[in-house]
């Protein structure tokens, strides 16, 4: 089963102080380094207009828990996390239709 992870993020004031082109350069470089493995993908959702604690939601899909784990290790080494541009608020791992997979395995 593919693992889906909802990574809840908060942009810090330090991040917001950068101009948008600088943010784009930093995030593009970081995310290209993090998601360099074809067994893992991500999508971004903006939430700041609707939530006071979370500014963004990254939805990660991984073929294995190991692929996800390695991506998070790479993320921690990027400027996004290491320079305190993003704060990871919560991590919610899930399996899509996991109950069906369990029922079918019985």
């Amino acid at each position: 089963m593919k693992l889906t992870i909802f990574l809840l993020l908060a942009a810090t004031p330090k991040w917001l102080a950068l101009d948008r082109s600088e943010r784009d350069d930093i995030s593009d470089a970081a995310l290209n380094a993090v998601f360099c493995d074809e067994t893992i993908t991500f999508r971004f959702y903006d939430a700041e207009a609707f939530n006071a604690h979370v500014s963004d939601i990254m939805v990660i899909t991984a073929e294995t828990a190991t692929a996800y784990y390695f991506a998070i290790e790479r993320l921690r080494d990027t400027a996004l996390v290491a320079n305190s541009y993003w704060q990871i608020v919560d991590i919610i791992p899930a399996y899509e239709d996991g109950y069906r997979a369990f029922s079918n395995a019985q």
Side-chain angles (χ1 to χ4, degrees):
M1 292 189 317
K2 285 187 180 180
L3 180 62
T4 301
I5 302 91
F6 299 87
L7 199 61
L8 308 183
L9 304 166
T12 66
K14 186 175 178 180
W15 176 254
L16 298 174
L18 301 173
D19 66 50
R20 289 182 185 272
S21 65
E22 193 172 7
R23 283 188 246 164
D24 288 344
D25 291 343
I26 293 168
S27 63
D28 288 348
L31 296 175
N32 285 333
V34 170
F35 296 101
C36 57
D37 180 347
E38 66 277 351
T39 67
I40 188 164
T41 61
F42 74 98
R43 297 185 320 260
F44 260 111
Y45 295 85
D46 293 319
E48 63 269 0
F50 308 104
N51 190 292
H53 304 286
V54 174
S55 62
D56 300 275
I57 301 168
M58 182 187 292
V59 179
I60 301 169
T61 303
E63 294 289 332
T64 66
T66 301
Y68 163 72
Y69 180 84
F70 288 175
I72 293 301
E73 285 294 328
R74 290 189 295 269
L75 179 64
R76 293 178 60 205
D77 292 340
T78 69
L80 295 173
V81 175
N83 291 355
S84 300
Y85 290 138
W86 290 359
Q87 177 186 12
I88 298 173
V89 176
D90 206 352
I91 301 170
I92 304 170
Y95 285 113
E96 183 177 8
D97 293 330
Y99 70 95
R100 284 195 178 130
F102 176 76
S103 293
N104 291 338
Q106 300 302 308

